[in-house]
């Protein structure tokens, strides 16, 4: 349960139109208020990466995505050294905050689950 | 004696399949009542058809990775549960995807094979995590073996493009998963695929194929420019392996029985272990050197040659001289006894190759893809028509061409073509 992506109600919320209408502004406000965008991060930069599955997912990024991620991490560390957020024009906009890593993490998790299933499967011949 | 011969011929004739057309895909099956079955999907997508160097090898190594139906690990584990073996192989003409399994499991394995053909995903991460290491190890293995390397280089010299394309591709290739995907899309079409079964009933196989492969796109067979023979000489520096020289001659047109007989005549390989072969090359080569006859027939060209290997370059030079000498003598004509021996030797190796599963696929493959029914008897009957004059004509015609000469090893001391009398 305590995966890198944690527990999410997003799919449930999205399935209901009323809920989506109510929750979306709060979600957008929350993501902005969390402050990571002020340091130029995308949400997926914050995923716990000290895990085998996330490491494998990181390996599946394109060269460009890997480079951009490393750049954001370096820029943010420098901002952290300076004890100040980035200048406002370098803040990440909500549109740029895409989930570039999430699909890969999900796919790796799915593969791991399948491997576990095959490792523990009980076979009966028809 | 004669009676037994006749009955063998009849049995063999029956054991070759007729080609049936199932949903636009040609299917042939041979059932010799083995306890196991094998199904091969033969695709006209060998290295001669590839769009970029190494793409065909990439596609071969992509075999049995994830498809719309099951993941790569699912394919492996499920096949293991059935006790089957999956394999993929690449030649200059074809890619063969083969499943071998116990009788009765054909439904599952035909589905595994056909789901790769129709719905493989070709994901980028699988290419990087699993396929690239395989491509690299293929290239490294081919480069490490001087004989393989010499023959690969010889093809490039002899045929340049098309058949000249290397089987493994370059060691550091720039192919991407998109290249493989588009090559697969053009290759896996109905006109380009044949299904060959052994140990399986023809109608059953045709049924299964119709069910699972009918969704393959319809398109004509792949075409590559007709081969032409060039020849030439090259020298490749290599360390570690035996000193190697390949002396070859190529010709275009359909492969002929005369050239197979020539290769059999030249081959110094002994029929009995630890003894000396009866070819006159065998007695002339020094201890520590070896000569192998190489006969590589393709749909529209043939490469016949001698692969000379030895510990030292001096040995190779001596053995090479002897081999070239015998080759030239053979082109001038052979006596009736030697011709008879060569013909039966060639016939035996062709017949015994067709006994094995791989041999069956390579013997049947091109006929099935072309939709021309054949029998083993017919493919062996051509050997009976080899006459001394046809043999001499074929051999001397071959030697009129420019030789293909490849030296792999210590190139400072390995002989040049003219030093061997070519």
């Amino acid at each position: 349960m305590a995966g890198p992506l944690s527990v999410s109600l997003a799919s449930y919320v999205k399935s209901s139109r009323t809920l989506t209408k109510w929750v979306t502004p709060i979600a957008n406000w929350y993501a902005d208020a969390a402050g990571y965008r002020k340091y130029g991060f995308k949400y997926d930069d914050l995923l716990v990466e000290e895990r085998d599955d996330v490491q494998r997912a990181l390996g599946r990024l394109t060269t460009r995505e890997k480079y951009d991620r490393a750049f954001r991490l370096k820029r943010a560390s420098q901002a952290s050294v300076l004890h100040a957020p980035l200048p406002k024009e370098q803040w990440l906009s909500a549109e740029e905050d895409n989930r570039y890593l999430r699909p890969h993490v999900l796919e790796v998790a799915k593969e791991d689950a399948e491997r576990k299933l095959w490792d523990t499967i009980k076979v009966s011949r028809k | 004696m004669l009676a037994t011969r006749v009955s063998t011929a009849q049995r063999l004739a029956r054991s070759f399949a007729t080609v049936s057309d199932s949903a636009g895909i040609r299917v042939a099956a041979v059932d010799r009542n083995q306890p196991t079955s094998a199904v091969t999907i033969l695709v006209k997508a060998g290295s001669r058809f590839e769009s970029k160097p190494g793409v065909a090898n990439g596609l071969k190594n992509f075999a049995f990775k994830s498809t719309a139906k099951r993941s790569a690990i699912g394919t492996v584990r499920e096949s293991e549960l059935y006790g089957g073996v999956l394999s993929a192989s690449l030649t200059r003409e074809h890619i063969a995807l083969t499943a071998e399994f116990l009788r009765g499991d054909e439904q599952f394995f035909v589905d595994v094979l056909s789901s790769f053909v129709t719905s493989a995903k070709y994901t980028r991460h699988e290419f990087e995590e699993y396929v690239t290491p395989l491509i690299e190890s293929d290239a490294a293995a081919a480069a490490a073996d001087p004989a393989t390397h010499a023959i690969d280089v010889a093809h490039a010299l002899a045929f340049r493009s098309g058949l000249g394309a290397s089987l493994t591709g370059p060691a550091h290739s720039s192919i991407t998963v998109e290249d493989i995907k588009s090559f697969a899309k053009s290759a896996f079409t109905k006109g380009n695929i044949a299904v060959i079964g052994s140990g399986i009933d023809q109608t059953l196989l045709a049924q299964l194929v119709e069910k699972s492969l009918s969704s393959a796109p319809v398109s004509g067979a792949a075409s590559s420019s007709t081969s032409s023979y060039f020849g030439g000489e090259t020298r490749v520096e290599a360390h570690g392996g035996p000193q190697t020289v390949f002396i070859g001659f190529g010709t275009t047109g359909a492969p002929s029985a005369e050239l197979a007989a020539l290769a059999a005549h030249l081959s110094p390989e002994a029929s009995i272990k630890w003894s000396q072969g009866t070819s006159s090359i065998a007695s002339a080569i020094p201890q520590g050197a070896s000569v192998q006859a190489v006969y590589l027939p393709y749909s529209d060209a043939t490469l016949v040659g001698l692969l000379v290997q030895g510990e030292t370059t001096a040995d190779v030079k001596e053995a090479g001289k002897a081999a070239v000498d015998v080759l030239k003598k053979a082109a001038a004509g052979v006596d009736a006894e030697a011709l008879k021996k060569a013909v039966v030797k060639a016939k035996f190796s062709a017949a015994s190759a067709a006994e094995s599963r791989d041999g069956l696929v390579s013997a049947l493959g091109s006929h099935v893809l072309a939709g021309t029914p054949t029998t083993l008897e017919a493919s062996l009957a051509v050997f009976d028509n080899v006459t001394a004059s046809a043999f001499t004509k074929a051999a001397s015609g071959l030697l009129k061409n420019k030789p293909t000469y490849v030296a792999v090893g210590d190139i400072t001391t390995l002989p040049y073509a003219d030093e061997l009398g070519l």
Side-chain angles (χ1 to χ4, degrees):
Chain A
M1 208 56 175
L5 298 170
S6 194
V7 192
S8 170
L9 292 174
S11 57
Y12 174 70
V13 172
K14 274 183 187 162
S15 67
S16 151
R17 193 182 288 176
T18 329
L19 263 181
T20 311
K21 215 171 110 189
W22 282 94
V23 172
T24 308
I26 303 172
N28 288 341
W29 169 82
Y30 177 78
D32 230 21
Y36 62 87
R37 287 175 185 164
K38 291 182 188 170
Y39 283 82
F41 275 129
K42 295 185 179 185
Y43 181 77
D44 274 358
D45 295 336
L46 308 182
L47 291 189
V48 179
E49 66 169 279
E50 290 85 1
R51 295 168 56 102
D52 286 345
D53 47 2
V54 181
Q55 283 299 317
R56 253 169 74 207
L58 284 173
R60 296 181 182 186
L61 296 177
T62 60
T63 325
R64 179 68 206 229
E65 282 169 341
K66 277 181 200 159
Y67 177 88
D68 286 353
R69 178 185 159 90
F71 171 74
R72 287 192 300 271
L73 289 172
K74 278 198 167 179
R75 187 174 58 175
S77 340
Q78 176 62 11
S80 165
V81 168
L82 298 176
H83 295 286
L86 293 173
K88 199 160 186 184
E89 66 274 10
Q90 288 184 33
W91 291 7
L92 207 84
S93 66
E95 296 79 63
E96 286 172 300
D97 190 6
N98 58 346
R99 306 296 301 269
Y100 67 98
L101 189 56
R102 188 171 179 268
H104 294 296
V105 175
L106 286 177
E107 204 175 333
V108 170
K110 210 173 112 195
E111 284 171 28
D112 285 347
E114 195 189 355
R115 181 174 289 271
K116 200 172 167 193
L117 178 78
W118 281 112
D119 280 348
T120 54
I121 199 166
K122 279 214 173 77
V123 185
S124 63
R125 182 102 199 195
K126 268 183 255 171
Chain B
M1 170 96 186
L2 198 63
T4 50
R5 279 242 170 122
V6 169
S7 70
T8 338
Q10 279 168 349
R11 242 182 297 139
L12 288 174
R14 268 206 308 278
S15 73
F16 253 49
T18 46
V19 179
S20 74
D21 208 299
S22 150
I25 293 165
R26 281 173 284 270
V27 177
V30 179
D31 196 351
R32 289 173 182 152
N33 285 321
Q34 308 98 312
T36 62
S37 311
V39 172
T40 298
I41 293 190
L42 197 68
V43 190
K44 220 171 149 188
S47 58
R48 72 179 292 181
F49 299 105
E50 71 192 2
S51 47
K52 221 173 159 184
V55 169
N57 191 37
L59 180 58
K60 177 209 97 181
N61 285 318
F62 233 114
F64 312 119
K65 297 290 173 287
S66 65
T67 67
K69 275 196 175 165
R70 45 180 88 73
S71 65
I73 186 179
T75 307
V76 174
R77 294 290 173 94
E78 217 169 331
S79 308
E80 278 176 356
L81 291 177
Y82 280 101
V85 178
L86 302 172
S87 59
S89 66
L90 173 72
T91 62
R92 289 195 154 73
E93 302 267 8
H94 305 122
I95 286 180
L97 306 166
T98 305
E100 291 167 67
F101 47 88
L102 292 168
R103 270 173 190 268
D105 297 335
E106 51 275 336
Q107 197 173 359
F108 169 73
F109 283 98
V110 170
D111 186 54
V112 165
L113 292 174
S114 56
S115 70
F116 175 68
V117 168
T118 54
S119 69
K121 282 183 180 163
Y122 305 106
T123 55
R124 192 168 46 82
H125 72 268
E126 277 178 323
F127 177 68
E128 279 161 14
E129 288 169 22
Y130 307 120
V131 181
T132 310
L134 290 176
I135 295 175
E136 278 167 7
S137 75
D138 273 352
D145 179 24
T148 316
H149 194 45
I151 288 174
D152 218 36
V153 173
H155 276 87
L157 274 181
F159 304 111
R160 298 189 186 173
S161 57
L163 282 175
S166 161
L167 265 185
T168 51
H172 303 283
S173 72
S174 58
I175 54 168
T176 63
V177 69
E178 292 305 318
D179 295 330
I180 295 180
K181 205 172 179 174
S182 63
F183 179 61
K185 202 179 159 201
S186 66
F188 291 145
T189 58
K190 278 184 180 171
N192 236 0
I193 300 176
V195 182
I196 299 167
S198 73
I200 186 169
D201 183 47
Q202 166 107 18
T203 47
L204 175 64
L205 183 61
Q207 257 172 26
L208 290 171
V209 166
E210 187 165 4
K211 210 170 73 183
S212 55
L213 272 177
S214 53
S215 63
V218 183
S219 170
S223 62
S224 88
S225 52
T226 21
S227 303
S228 42
Y229 177 76
F230 297 94
E233 180 173 354
T234 194
R235 304 165 74 74
V236 184
E237 179 78 58
H239 303 280
Q243 307 296 331
T244 305
V245 159
F246 176 78
I247 306 152
F249 289 90
T251 173
T252 50
S256 67
E258 283 80 14
L259 293 179
L262 174 67
H265 172 69
L266 294 174
S267 173
E269 200 188 334
S271 301
I272 300 170
K273 208 175 176 185
W274 308 124
S275 71
Q276 202 179 44
T278 51
S279 159
S280 37
I281 293 178
S283 52
I285 56 176
Q287 200 80 34
S290 73
V291 177
Q292 277 170 275
V294 177
Y295 170 65
L296 299 164
Y298 298 103
S299 59
D300 62 350
T302 313
L303 191 64
V304 183
L306 294 159
L307 189 73
V308 186
Q309 289 190 300
E311 281 301 310
T312 66
T313 49
D315 284 349
V316 171
K317 192 170 182 179
E318 199 183 332
K321 266 184 187 163
V324 169
D325 201 37
V326 174
L327 184 64
K328 282 190 168 168
K329 265 186 205 154
V334 290
D335 57 76
E337 197 65 27
L339 177 67
K340 220 172 180 179
K341 200 172 73 187
V343 168
V344 288
K345 212 168 159 184
K347 190 175 172 183
F348 173 78
S349 63
S352 88
E355 296 256 295
S356 73
R357 269 181 176 145
D358 293 343
L360 180 75
V361 170
S362 50
L364 261 180
S366 47
H367 291 286
V368 177
L369 270 169
T372 48
T374 181
T375 62
L376 183 57
E377 202 189 19
S379 64
L380 295 180
V382 287
F383 286 103
D384 299 331
N385 303 331
V386 176
T387 59
S389 60
F391 179 88
T392 316
K393 200 179 150 212
S396 60
L398 193 70
L399 259 68
K400 270 193 203 109
N401 295 332
K402 193 176 168 191
T404 300
Y405 182 86
V406 182
V408 178
D410 180 7
I411 52 172
T412 50
T413 49
L414 273 172
Y416 284 82
D418 50 46
E419 289 172 352
L420 296 183
L422 283 168

